[in-house]
């Protein structure tokens, strides 16, 4: 390498961007287009999480529609707890404003999520979501 030039800094492993996107999709839904919203969650999912979410989608669709639920999520913070070449654990804090037939004026909710991600086909996908703290 010529003098004075350095290697570019490596991109952080398990970049929290995928976890932010996954958490945003998970906390944002609208009964008027829940099919699209749940598809967005599934696009960024893999493994057990994808299977469990897909298995619950039909029931959730009915529940969301019956309650006229709308949730507008916002990711406040995300940080890598651990990462290697193929896996990452990311902690996410997200808020959402939830409106439904029981609370038409809306309620604020805060979520602390732990997302496990795996690198598959060049994409970071969520393999597990847990509510923490």
């Amino acid at each position: 390498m010529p003098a004075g030039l350095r290697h570019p800094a490596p991109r952080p492993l398990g970049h929290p961007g995928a976890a932010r996107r996954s958490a945003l999709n998970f906390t944002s839904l609208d009964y008027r287009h829940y099919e699209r919203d749940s598809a967005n969650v599934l696009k960024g999912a893999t493994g057990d999480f994808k299977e469990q979410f897909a298995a619950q989608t039909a029931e959730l669709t009915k529940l969301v529609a019956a309650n006229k639920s709308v949730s507008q999520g916002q990711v406040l913070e995300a940080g890598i707890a651990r990462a290697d070449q193929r896996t990452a654990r990311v902690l996410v804090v997200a808020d959402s404003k939830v409106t439904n037939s029981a609370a038409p004026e809306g309620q604020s909710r805060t979520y602390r999520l732990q997302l496990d991600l795996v690198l598959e086909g060049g994409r970071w996908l969520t393999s597990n979501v847990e509510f923490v703290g």
Side-chain angles (χ1 to χ4, degrees), residues 44-110:
T46 190
D48 289 341
F49 174 63
K50 185 173 187 172
E51 288 175 20
Q52 291 170 2
F53 192 86
Q56 296 173 359
T57 298
E59 189 62 34
L60 288 172
T61 300
K62 292 176 194 172
L63 185 64
V64 167
N67 291 307
K68 296 187 177 187
S69 296
V70 176
S71 177
Q72 298 171 323
Q74 174 185 1
V75 174
L76 304 176
E77 293 289 336
I80 299 170
R82 66 170 173 73
D84 60 31
Q85 296 291 333
R86 304 221 11 98
T87 65
R89 174 164 288 166
V90 181
L91 302 175
V92 176
V93 177
D95 278 348
S96 69
K97 181 178 180 182
V98 179
T99 58
N100 55 40
S101 54
E105 70 288 344
Q107 296 176 333
S108 294
R109 297 186 183 165
T110 300

Side-chain angles (χ1 to χ4, degrees), residues 5-63:
L5 293 180
R6 292 193 234 175
H7 291 285
R11 194 173 107 191
L13 295 174
H15 190 289
R20 285 177 166 272
R21 184 174 52 254
S22 187
L24 183 61
N25 288 340
F26 192 66
T27 60
S28 299
L29 61 90
D30 189 322
Y31 73 96
R32 294 166 291 203
H33 42 76
Y34 187 71
E35 188 174 313
R36 179 195 70 195
D37 295 343
S38 61
N40 286 335
V41 172
L42 291 170
K43 278 187 227 172
T46 190
D48 289 341
F49 174 63
K50 185 173 187 172
E51 288 175 20
Q52 291 170 2
F53 192 86
Q56 296 173 359
T57 298
E59 189 62 34
L60 288 172
T61 300
K62 292 176 194 172
L63 185 64

